Amino acid sequence: MIGSKSPRLVLYVPHKPNSFDELTERPNIQTLIANNTNHWRKIATLLAKICSPDLENWRQFRDSRLLESSAISINPTLCNLESRPWHWIGGKDNQRRFSYLQHNALPLESCENVAVDRRKQLLFTPYPDYRQLDNAVIIEIRRALETGGFYSGT
C-alpha cells in the first residue's frame, strides 16, 4: 500500500506503479508521478479531487497532503485498518477482483455508473480516468461521500 497508514480513503487499482517498493516505504506523490506515465498523474489528480477537503485547492492538496490522508492499494482485498477508511474500487475489471464482497451499493441517481454503500463505506466507479470521471461526476461522488460523513473533521 502506498500512502497513509491510517487513510480516510483507499483507492484500489489492479496494477502497481513503477517504484512501488520505494513508494511503499517512502510515499511521495512527486516520485509516483515522475517515475510513471501520465496515467498515474491522472489517477493521483482524481484521487486528490475526491479526497481534498476543498475542491478548489485540489492541486495543492495533491502535491502536499494527498498521501498523508489517503492510500493506493493493488491488493484484491480490502485493507482492514483502524482508521476505518472508505474503499474506492475503480474499474469494472478491478471490481471483479472484489466480487466476494457482500454489499448494498446503490447507483447514484445522477450517475448510474457510480455506486455507494455508505454503511460499509464502499465506492464503486469506472476506472479513474478523466474521460469516465469528469468534473461533473467528481462533484456527484463528493456529494455522496459528504452525505456519508467523509469530509467532516478534515
Side-chain angles (χ1 to χ4, degrees), residues 8-152:
R8 296 182 49 81
L9 182 140
V10 178
L11 169 61
Y12 298 85
V13 292
H15 53 277
K16 66 181 177 179
N18 295 330
S19 306
F20 181 79
D21 294 335
E22 174 187 348
L23 290 163
T24 299
E25 290 180 31
R26 290 178 304 285
N28 183 294
I29 199 65
Q30 286 78 22
T31 301
L32 174 71
I33 292 169
N35 291 350
N36 290 278
T37 63
N38 192 40
H39 172 74
W40 278 97
R41 183 187 58 79
K42 291 176 183 179
I43 290 171
T45 295
L46 290 168
L47 183 59
K49 285 182 174 185
I50 288 174
C51 291
S52 178
D54 175 15
L55 183 55
E56 299 280 323
N57 294 316
W58 66 263
R59 284 178 187 86
Q60 179 184 2
F61 181 83
R62 180 195 63 198
D63 296 341
S64 64
R65 297 183 14 228
L66 180 62
L67 295 179
E68 293 172 10
S69 64
S70 64
I72 300 169
S73 176
I74 59 168
N75 293 325
T77 56
L78 298 183
C79 299
N80 186 12
L81 302 166
E82 283 186 37
S83 62
R84 296 197 61 242
W86 276 81
H87 304 277
W88 173 11
I89 303 168
K92 287 188 187 291
D93 290 338
N94 194 32
Q95 290 171 19
R96 283 189 201 81
R97 298 184 329 142
F98 292 86
S99 62
Y100 64 88
L101 286 176
Q102 300 293 313
H103 63 81
N104 292 311
L106 299 172
L108 297 181
E109 201 171 297
S110 56
C111 221
E112 291 181 7
N113 60 351
V114 175
V116 174
D117 182 330
R118 285 181 183 87
R119 190 175 67 75
K120 292 192 175 179
Q121 297 184 177
L122 296 170
L123 169 64
F124 298 95
T125 71
Y127 192 81
D129 181 271
Y130 295 153
R131 292 169 294 203
Q132 298 183 61
L133 296 176
D134 60 25
N135 286 334
V137 174
I138 294 295
I139 289 169
E140 292 305 317
I141 290 170
R142 288 180 60 88
R143 283 187 185 136
L145 291 178
E146 184 173 30
T147 302
F150 181 77
Y151 300 101
S152 60

